[in-house]
Amino acid sequence: MHRALALLTEFLVPDRGPVRGVPSMDGGLTPNDELDALGILSDAGDLRPEDVLVDADGSVLATAGAALWRLDGDGPARKVADLPGDARGMTLRGDGSLLVCVDRAGLVAVDRGGAVHEVLDAQARAGVGVLSAVAVSAGEVFVSEVSRRREWSEWPYALYEGDAEGRILHVREDGSLRTVAEGLVWPWGLCDGREPGTVVVTESFAHRISTLDTGSGARRPLAERLPAYPARVHPSAAGLWVAFFGVRTHLVEFVLHEDDYRRRMIQQVPVDEWLLPALRRTGSVREPLQVGGVKHLGEVKPWSPPRSYGLVAELGWDGDFVRSMHSRPGGWRHGTTAASEASGVLAVACAGAEAVLVTSAEGGES
């Protein structure tokens, strides 16, 4: 009875109903195939990049697995440092050293010689969950914690259980932590904001990018109701480079609003076969198949509902997207997790294709 009344209310007064639709990609997010045309800086072995940064000399630093790598386009990727766990987001400090989020260790610093130093004290390491990104704002260090009870690989549960336990934490000089903001929905990305004392945070499963005051913790949406799941964010010439690891579909939105169906799927179906966005297509016959994605004449239709997708976009400080690069369902440059610009070079971490893509930051030839 309650469900019928809710549906009737939604039909008669749509503004009072839940938001079920997926916004269209238009304006600066108009689909194209530009990601598929970019050059590959490295496709070495099992290098599956999580984050990328362009160094001052134009070379690219990448976190992948339990290591930090340097790629300069002249031979295979070179290992800079072994890390005590799987590496996530990173940022450069003024002295040239790096801060890197690492599973189980929390946060480490890597100096120019490749030496690794712990940043958090023992109490902070023991109490913190999975850290995803790190930013330096006004000389202070901040990290994003995606969840306190879920491991990184358990993000599908966070999506379907509505996990909103993410936090932004201030790392004090003595290695202790102070909570700046909490109640965030899988805050995957974090970078310095335009205003002093602010940072920018992405919330993947809330489809939102916000600026956050690091003193008061107050948040102001910069872009919301996005058609895709934002991952990491880095500064750009016009504002911010945002990578999206997948795009929203009506099928996943349907599952999110059907409580009984979702509960039974979680209990009875292996997680690999859930209806989810993915970093890549596997080709398995057991992979969830959306009818619109069936091959026609040997090709996946580019406009079909995507299982996986590649998308990086430049966001202006006014909240409008300036430009974007896509790899649609028929392409393979999917699962984009980070994009970074410096020295005239734009590097893209493409985890689904296990590659780092590069092009001119101005959008010219790669």
Side-chain angles (χ1 to χ4, degrees):
M1 183 62 186
H2 175 75
R3 181 180 175 80
L5 183 61
L7 289 172
L8 178 61
T9 302
E10 182 181 354
F11 176 75
L12 295 174
V13 191
D15 289 345
R16 294 185 183 178
V19 179
R20 299 178 191 274
V22 177
S24 60
M25 288 195 281
D26 52 18
L29 291 178
T30 300
N32 53 55
D33 297 315
E34 291 187 22
L35 270 184
D36 293 312
L38 297 190
I40 296 178
L41 188 56
S42 172
D43 57 354
D46 56 354
L47 189 66
R48 187 175 180 176
E50 277 279 341
D51 197 5
V52 289
L53 286 175
V54 180
D55 209 349
D57 61 1
S59 64
V60 177
L61 295 159
T63 54
L68 174 67
W69 303 82
R70 183 178 293 276
L71 306 94
D72 53 17
D74 185 19
R78 292 183 291 113
K79 186 183 291 187
V80 175
D82 286 308
L83 300 172
D86 285 344
R88 304 299 171 193
M90 60 180 168
T91 193
L92 275 165
R93 293 198 291 193
D95 61 0
S97 64
L98 284 157
L99 292 171
V100 185
C101 296
V102 178
D103 289 357
R104 294 182 295 279
L107 184 68
V108 301
V110 182
D111 64 26
R112 280 288 184 181
V116 178
H117 311 276
E118 291 183 343
V119 174
L120 303 183
D121 63 24
Q123 183 177 0
R125 288 198 305 274
V128 77
V130 177
L131 299 185
S132 173
V134 54
V136 177
S137 177
E140 300 294 323
V141 178
F142 299 88
V143 292
S144 64
E145 178 193 59
V146 291
S147 178
R148 303 185 70 174
R149 63 190 177 94
R150 290 293 184 191
E151 297 294 328
W152 183 262
S153 61
E154 296 178 322
W155 65 265
Y157 292 90
L159 169 63
Y160 280 136
E161 293 176 349
D163 188 329
E165 297 186 351
R167 297 189 297 171
I168 302 301
L169 304 166
H170 173 215
V171 183
R172 298 187 178 101
E173 289 190 7
D174 62 2
S176 63
L177 295 172
R178 173 180 67 88
T179 300
V180 176
E182 54 189 353
L184 282 77
V185 186
W186 205 260
W188 191 323
L190 187 72
C191 76
D192 190 16
R194 182 173 63 169
E195 308 295 335
T198 65
V199 291
V200 175
V201 58
T202 67
E203 293 177 89
S204 298
F205 304 139
H207 331 113
R208 181 169 56 215
I209 302 168
S210 305
T211 58
L212 184 146
D213 187 300
T214 57
S216 66
R219 279 174 274 169
R220 180 176 59 83
L222 182 61
E224 52 188 348
R225 291 205 67 221
L226 297 170
Y229 302 98
R232 294 200 169 82
V233 59
H234 288 294
S236 77
L240 302 161
W241 275 112
V242 185
F244 297 85
F245 80 91
V247 297
R248 297 166 63 189
T249 65
H250 289 88
L251 191 56
V252 171
E253 295 300 314
F254 170 82
V255 175
L256 284 166
H257 288 91
E258 292 296 321
D259 295 340
D260 292 340
Y261 180 94
R262 186 174 66 255
R263 190 177 305 112
R264 290 178 60 188
M265 182 183 73
I266 292 173
Q267 293 173 347
Q268 300 175 13
V269 179
V271 66
D272 291 341
E273 298 172 18
W274 288 8
L275 295 166
L276 284 170
L279 296 181
R280 71 175 78 185
R281 301 196 307 268
T282 65
S284 167
V285 296
R286 300 183 67 84
E287 184 178 63
L289 181 67
Q290 301 177 44
V291 175
V294 172
K295 287 184 178 178
H296 182 64
L297 298 179
E299 295 184 355
V300 177
K301 291 177 285 187
W303 56 87
S304 61
R307 164 75 165 161
S308 58
Y309 199 94
L311 170 60
V312 296
E314 190 171 17
L315 178 68
W317 289 110
D318 58 1
D320 290 333
F321 285 97
V322 178
R323 59 170 169 155
S324 59
M325 292 181 284
H326 301 240
S327 179
R328 296 188 284 178
W332 289 96
R333 304 281 177 78
H334 295 175
T336 41
T337 55
S340 172
E341 167 190 339
S343 305
V345 176
L346 173 66
V348 177
C350 190
E354 297 185 349
V356 175
L357 313 177
V358 290
T359 185
S360 164
E362 288 75 29
E365 295 294 325
S366 57

